[in-house]
Amino acid sequence: MNRFNPSLLEKLEWENKKISKNNIRTTPISQGEKLGGEFHLIMQQIGLGLPVELFLKAYPQIDKWVEVAKPFLDIPGSKQWNTEAQYLYKSQLLYANYDLIIYQEKQVIGLDWTIQKTSNFQLLENSFHTQLRLFLLHERTQLSASEISLVYLFVNTGDVYQFTYSKEKHQAFKERLEATLLPFLAEVEDFPKQTSSSCTLTPQEAHDKWLAKEISAEEYLAAIPEVEL
């Protein structure tokens, strides 16, 4: 079983499209990113009900960001802070992180707050970071797709993007997901064909193949008949 988050899925999609590695750039952590990490930590502490007033007085910039986020913290519902959602899709584990998930009776809202500059709406909507999060909320809750939404809050500017979901978007993403994971899904489909031969082996044949590392320990054990006590 493999694990895939939005970043890994994007890299796989890039490789499938044969995009040059020169287009993928890495940069050192900036001072702004360090402040962003501290902001996320403060938001987690707020979620736990811990006092943060003294810290906010010492860091007025982070205090401003927290003020922008506060109205969203008052949305009613059962809340999960800084959480990870997982879903096993065709033997592949998909997962994504959320700053906050709010569960209401007939609606679920995922929230992501960031100090980054406001992104292009369409590019962000089509990204795996958005589509996988919406997909996971739908699969995990079994609510109607129209009752799923994801909110991005850009605390630097106060801009808010809300992305909704639908049956059509869900189906389109599944097709994109399967195209991206195709090599790994093919391995799973071939697995029974590769291992079915162990069922027809005699115990001695299975033992010999196991010693020669031609079959796995699980296949070896499967070829040994059960003995009633």
Side-chain angles (χ1 to χ4, degrees):
M1 179 178 66
N2 302 293
R3 285 170 52 90
F4 297 96
N5 63 10
S7 296
L8 288 174
L9 290 171
E10 285 188 344
K11 288 181 180 179
L12 281 174
E13 191 172 56
W14 288 337
E15 290 177 3
N16 291 343
K17 293 179 179 179
K18 297 182 180 179
I19 293 181
S20 172
K21 292 182 180 179
N22 293 329
N23 292 333
I24 303 174
R25 300 178 180 178
T26 59
T27 56
I29 297 176
S30 66
Q31 182 63 29
E33 288 173 318
K34 291 179 180 178
L35 277 176
E38 292 175 348
F39 165 67
H40 276 80
L41 181 59
I42 287 297
M43 294 299 292
Q44 293 174 31
Q45 291 175 325
I46 291 174
L48 294 172
L50 300 175
V52 296
E53 289 77 13
L54 292 178
F55 183 89
L56 294 179
K57 285 182 180 180
Y59 293 90
Q61 179 59 68
I62 295 179
D63 187 26
K64 291 179 181 179
W65 294 336
V66 171
E67 288 299 317
V68 174
K70 275 185 177 179
F72 295 86
L73 309 185
D74 295 331
I75 297 175
S78 175
K79 296 180 173 69
Q80 285 187 334
W81 294 73
N82 188 36
T83 187
E84 178 182 281
Q86 299 181 351
Y87 182 71
L88 192 62
Y89 182 74
K90 296 190 175 182
S91 299
Q92 309 300 316
L93 184 65
L94 307 175
Y95 68 100
N97 295 315
Y98 306 76
D99 289 324
L100 178 64
I101 301 178
I102 301 175
Y103 297 94
Q104 299 177 335
E105 185 177 354
K106 292 185 178 180
Q107 185 181 12
V108 61
I109 306 168
L111 284 102
D112 180 282
W113 39 68
T114 177
I115 70 168
Q116 295 179 7
K117 294 181 180 179
T118 306
S119 302
N120 176 279
F121 184 92
Q122 187 173 1
L123 290 177
L124 187 56
E125 182 179 26
N126 293 333
S127 71
F128 271 108
H129 287 273
T130 298
Q131 292 301 315
L132 181 60
R133 285 167 168 169
L134 288 167
F135 175 85
L136 291 174
L137 289 176
H138 177 51
E139 294 293 349
R140 290 291 304 273
T141 63
Q142 294 301 306
L143 289 172
S144 169
S146 61
E147 297 168 331
I148 305 295
S149 63
L150 181 67
V151 173
Y152 286 90
L153 173 59
F154 297 90
V155 294
N156 260 328
T157 61
D159 292 334
V160 179
Y161 287 173
Q162 181 172 11
F163 298 102
T164 57
Y165 212 37
S166 66
K167 290 182 180 179
E168 293 75 17
K169 291 178 181 179
H170 185 66
Q171 183 59 38
F173 180 70
K174 286 179 68 175
E175 293 173 2
R176 178 185 179 188
L177 186 62
E178 292 195 11
T180 304
L181 295 177
L182 185 60
F184 302 93
L185 299 179
E187 288 178 4
V188 174
E189 291 175 357
D190 290 342
F191 182 74
K193 300 175 185 178
Q194 296 171 354
T195 61
S196 59
S197 61
S198 64
C199 298
T200 60
L201 296 175
T202 66
Q204 184 59 50
E205 289 173 336
H207 181 264
D208 294 340
K209 285 182 173 293
W210 175 62
L211 289 179
K213 297 183 179 180
E214 295 178 2
I215 62 174
S216 67
E218 289 80 3
E219 293 174 283
Y220 171 43
L221 293 174
I224 300 176
E226 296 183 2
V227 178
E228 295 184 5
L229 299 178

